[in-house]
């Protein structure tokens, strides 16, 4: 059943972003996905949603390029108008980068790339889109189970995701007067193409990390997408300022 609501999923061209866009489409939302580089991947996401009767479109966005956000908002507004709408109902901040390495190997450029995308970009995109977001809307910021447990070589990435979680709680207070819910969803080890597809393609890695979860396996991208769709739904309308970990019980 189509809800008429509209969702924006950043980094929706592949991986968790694509699975999230598809899940929202199955729940009847019209979906706009963003991509930074490969438009063909984004169009593939759009095609898969359309083939199941949904409505979708793709827009280019590099969330590390804050100066380009006003132009993006204009492009988004134009797309909304084409759909006979003026407001966005759901914003999923999924796009991010992961650069990993031990303390001595991390460069200033690495650090800035992670923080500029995962934290700075996320914050200022929310700022740019807040006037377009409908009262009663939802913002879901994708974090990581690494904000709770530790792993060598992940310090900068983990810190960026911890910052996203704090932003989520604070912005939930600031935007709560408009009925906007802001939550963070923290995936655990999931078989996607993130970090070069290591989790998806390395059977030994999957087995080792899967053994550290209560459910005995790593996650699939569709399971994360379904969880985000649930968090965006009316069923969880009384939930805000929370961190929901979707990890199969990793490293308890």
């Amino acid at each position: 059943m189509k809800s008429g609501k509209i969702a924006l999923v950043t980094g929706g061209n592949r991986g968790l972003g694509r699975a999230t866009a598809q899940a929202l489409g199955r729940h009847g939302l019209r979906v706009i996905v963003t991509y930074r580089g490969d438009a063909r991947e984004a169009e593939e996401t759009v095609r898969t949603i359309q083939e199941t009767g949904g409505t979708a479109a793709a827009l280019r966005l590099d969330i590390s390029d804050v100066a380009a956000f006003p132009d993006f908002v204009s492009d988004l507004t134009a797309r909304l108008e084409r759909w006979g709408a003026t407001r966005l109902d759901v914003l999923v901040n999924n796009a991010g980068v992961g650069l990993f390495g031990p303390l001595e190997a991390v460069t200033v450029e690495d650090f800035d790339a992670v923080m500029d995308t995962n934290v700075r970009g996320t914050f200022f995109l929310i700022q740019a889109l807040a006037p377009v977001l409908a009262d009663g809307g939802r913002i879901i910021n994708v974090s990581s189970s690494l904000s709770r447990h530790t792993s060598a070589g992940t310090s900068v990435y983990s810190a960026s995701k911890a910052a996203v979680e704090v932003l989520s709680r604070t912005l939930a207070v600031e935007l709560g007067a408009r009925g906007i819910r802001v939550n963070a969803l923290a995936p655990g080890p999931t078989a996607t193409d993130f970090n070069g597809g290591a989790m998806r393609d390395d059977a030994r890695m999957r087995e080792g990390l899967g053994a550290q979860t209560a459910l005995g396996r790593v996650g699939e991208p569709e399971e994360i997408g379904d969880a985000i769709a649930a968090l965006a739904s009316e069923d969880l309308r009384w939930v805000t300022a929370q961190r929901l970990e979707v990890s199969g019980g990793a490293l308890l």
Side-chain angles (χ1 to χ4, degrees):
M1 178 182 296
K2 294 187 177 182
S3 69
K5 293 185 176 180
I6 300 174
L8 174 69
V9 181
T10 65
N13 53 304
R14 58 187 178 85
L16 296 184
R18 174 177 288 179
T20 297
Q22 292 168 334
L24 291 167
R26 289 194 300 272
H27 281 71
L29 280 77
R30 292 175 285 177
V31 185
I32 299 169
V33 298
T34 76
Y35 64 96
R36 183 179 64 178
D38 193 339
R40 293 173 298 178
E41 291 182 335
E43 291 300 334
E44 176 66 14
T45 301
V46 169
R47 184 187 64 79
T48 61
I49 294 171
Q50 292 174 337
E51 285 183 344
T52 59
T55 302
L59 294 174
R60 188 183 182 281
L61 172 67
D62 179 354
I63 70 166
S64 68
D65 185 7
V66 172
F69 286 0
D71 287 341
F72 173 74
V73 173
S74 295
D75 292 342
L76 174 64
T77 301
R79 167 52 63 179
L80 294 176
E81 290 175 352
R82 289 175 63 183
W83 285 350
T86 59
R87 290 288 183 266
L88 192 66
D89 299 286
V90 177
L91 169 61
V92 181
N93 285 304
N94 164 75
V97 298
L99 299 175
F100 304 98
L103 173 64
E104 65 275 11
V106 176
T107 66
V108 172
E109 292 76 17
D110 291 339
F111 186 96
D112 288 348
V114 173
M115 293 299 176
D116 283 353
T117 300
N118 296 358
V119 183
R120 184 171 178 264
T122 296
F123 177 86
F124 284 106
L125 185 61
I126 294 172
Q127 182 189 74
L129 293 179
V132 185
L133 194 64
D135 291 352
R138 291 89 164 90
I139 299 173
I140 300 167
N141 298 319
V142 176
S143 179
S144 169
S145 66
L146 284 166
S147 66
R148 174 180 59 83
H149 59 79
T150 59
S151 179
T154 67
S155 58
V156 178
Y157 177 77
S158 300
S160 76
K161 292 304 187 178
V164 166
E165 293 178 9
V166 174
L167 287 177
S168 300
R169 293 197 301 271
T170 305
L171 295 178
V173 174
E174 292 193 25
L175 296 172
R178 293 177 52 193
I180 296 173
R181 297 194 285 106
V182 186
N183 292 290
L185 186 135
T190 308
T192 71
D193 53 3
F194 183 73
N195 194 26
M199 190 68 60
R200 179 194 61 199
D201 302 331
D202 189 329
R204 291 184 63 184
M205 179 181 289
R206 288 201 309 275
E207 183 179 357
L209 288 171
Q212 297 176 338
T213 70
L215 295 181
R217 62 175 176 84
V218 301
E220 297 297 331
E222 293 78 14
E223 293 170 315
I224 306 302
D226 287 342
I228 291 175
L231 193 54
S233 74
E234 287 296 317
D235 293 341
L236 296 180
R237 60 191 175 276
W238 194 234
V239 177
T240 194
Q242 300 303 307
R243 173 191 187 275
L244 174 63
E245 182 169 311
V246 184
S247 69
L251 293 166
L252 297 176

